[in-house]
Amino acid sequence: MRELTSPTAVREIIRSHGFQVRKSLGQNFLLDANIIDRIARQANLTVEDLVFEIGPGLGVLTRRLAKEAGRVIAVELDQHLLPILAETLADYPNAQVVHGDALKVDFDRLAQEKTAGQFGPQGKGYKLVANLPYYITTPILMHLLTSGFNLDLMVVMMQREVAERLQASPGSKDYGSLSVAVQYYTVPEIVIRVPKTVFYPAPDVESAVVRLTRRTAPPVQVTSEEDFFRIVRASFGQRRKTLLNSLAGSGLASKEAWQRILAEAGIDPGRRGETLSIEEFATLANTFCSSTR
Ligand code: SAM
């Protein structure tokens, strides 16, 4: 079995298949066996686990996951990688590659189709481990979080700047609507900081691995998740504006109505949106809901 963790080995397998690395698909392949091992260990895999991977690339992380998990289903968009994966995963019958776009995949349905309900019963969810294609980090995260998939744990590598945003606290420069959404559904934790040098080709940005543990219940109670997230997005819409002016510009209610809602919620209208905690956003959204219904 070919070794895949040196620049020479990676160049050789790419060359022998006439493969061209596509930067536009976020293709930066991992070279460091130690980092691959550390990522896999964060998922605490056992033979009872079905683990999804997004973008297996050359299959280097996939192989590591397949050594411990019961099943690996890896979704790869680039069809030119399929013959390479057929070769690198030949000795791993429990790893299966699906050609498709991870942004459009229904992971629960895929699990049913590919494993006939063999994994994930009795409330136990699936896991997802990936070195994400960075150009779609945010939409992929939102797809994974908001579609209600039965994913208990995600261990995902992304650009460090986005990773910092996921676990940012109110008032910090990294705190934004992505932080609120991710912290509403999960407990995020940066577990590994990864330098550019462990990839081929090296990306332009530094990376980090984030462990996202799905919450069994949201940290706040909201009357309508849709209104909660609409208000969160509106509040972060224009960072230099006051909360009142951002909300008034959102079209969700008039400025006078927002003045009343903010007063009733006990939130100073002169504050900036980025200083509000998730609890305050929930109070604001619930007050909005009760005043407009
Ligand atoms: N897992 C490999 C590794 O760590 O070496 C490759 C990771 S590379 C950063 C991202 C991978 O995602 C590439 O193989 C790329 O072709 C694939 N990819 C890009 N967009 C995708 C999408 N929408 N759905 C699934 N895979 C995608």
Side-chain angles (χ1 to χ4, degrees):
M1 176 50 53
R2 282 208 220 195
E3 171 273 321
L4 280 176
T5 47
S6 76
T8 320
V10 166
R11 267 191 225 107
E12 171 50 24
I13 195 155
I14 286 174
R15 191 202 53 75
S16 68
H17 283 266
F19 177 75
Q20 298 224 326
V21 176
R22 283 169 188 77
K23 265 199 147 181
S24 61
L25 286 181
Q27 290 176 347
N28 301 100
F29 303 119
L30 266 171
L31 290 174
D32 188 309
N34 178 43
I35 294 281
I36 293 162
D37 198 52
R38 286 173 64 197
I39 295 172
R41 273 193 278 129
Q42 285 295 331
N44 296 325
L45 296 170
T46 73
V47 286
E48 306 208 321
D49 283 316
L50 161 58
V51 59
F52 289 106
E53 186 187 2
I54 292 173
L58 305 174
V60 62
L61 179 59
T62 325
R63 297 209 298 208
R64 177 63 183 76
L65 300 175
K67 279 186 185 147
E68 281 173 9
R71 247 342 224 287
V72 185
I73 300 178
V75 180
E76 175 56 61
L77 181 63
D78 187 352
Q79 60 173 347
H80 300 101
L81 284 167
L82 304 183
I84 300 186
L85 287 163
E87 180 186 325
T88 58
L89 299 177
D91 291 346
Y92 297 85
N94 61 335
Q96 198 170 357
V97 175
V98 173
H99 179 217
D101 181 347
L103 282 171
K104 297 186 183 148
V105 166
D106 178 334
F107 288 92
D108 284 349
R109 218 171 86 196
L110 197 57
Q112 282 298 318
E113 277 170 17
K114 300 290 175 195
T115 72
Q118 207 187 327
F119 293 88
Q122 283 102 46
K124 191 178 177 307
Y126 312 114
K127 294 178 178 174
L128 184 138
V129 180
N131 171 15
L132 291 175
Y134 293 176
Y135 73 110
I136 43 169
T137 304
T138 303
I140 284 225
L141 285 175
M142 293 314 290
H143 177 59
L144 295 172
L145 294 172
T146 61
S147 305
F149 299 135
N150 195 16
L151 291 170
D152 282 348
L153 182 73
M154 294 179 243
V155 178
V156 278
M157 172 123 73
M158 62 191 70
Q159 55 273 54
R160 204 174 292 174
E161 197 191 308
V162 179
E164 307 282 2
R165 277 163 47 199
L166 302 194
Q167 59 166 35
S169 309
S172 75
K173 71 168 178 26
D174 294 325
Y175 186 62
S177 51
L178 183 65
S179 327
V180 175
V182 167
Q183 292 171 29
Y184 180 82
Y185 291 109
T186 73
V187 178
E189 190 191 353
I190 294 182
V191 286
I192 314 173
R193 288 172 198 275
V194 184
K196 297 175 187 179
T197 47
V198 302
F199 301 91
Y200 175 84
D204 298 329
V205 293
E206 301 292 339
S207 303
V209 178
V210 186
R211 191 173 202 270
L212 300 147
T213 311
R214 170 76 71 169
R215 291 181 188 274
T216 43
V220 287
Q221 289 220 319
V222 294
T223 319
S224 152
E225 283 191 355
E226 199 186 330
D227 284 335
F228 172 72
F229 285 115
R230 275 161 69 191
I231 287 169
V232 169
R233 280 195 298 273
S235 305
F236 285 106
Q238 288 142 316
R239 284 204 167 231
R240 280 191 302 277
K241 284 196 178 177
T242 61
L243 183 59
L244 175 60
N245 285 337
S246 296
L247 290 169
S250 69
L252 294 171
S254 68
K255 189 164 186 174
E256 294 67 36
W258 279 117
Q259 263 162 337
R260 277 196 309 276
I261 294 166
L262 284 162
E264 204 181 312
I267 297 170
D268 179 350
R271 281 173 66 183
R272 312 274 156 181
E274 59 267 28
T275 66
L276 265 66
S277 65
I278 294 192
E279 290 72 20
E280 287 175 309
F281 277 122
T283 306
L284 181 57
N286 291 345
T287 312
F288 169 81
C289 284
S290 58
S291 78
T292 53
R293 259 151 227 171

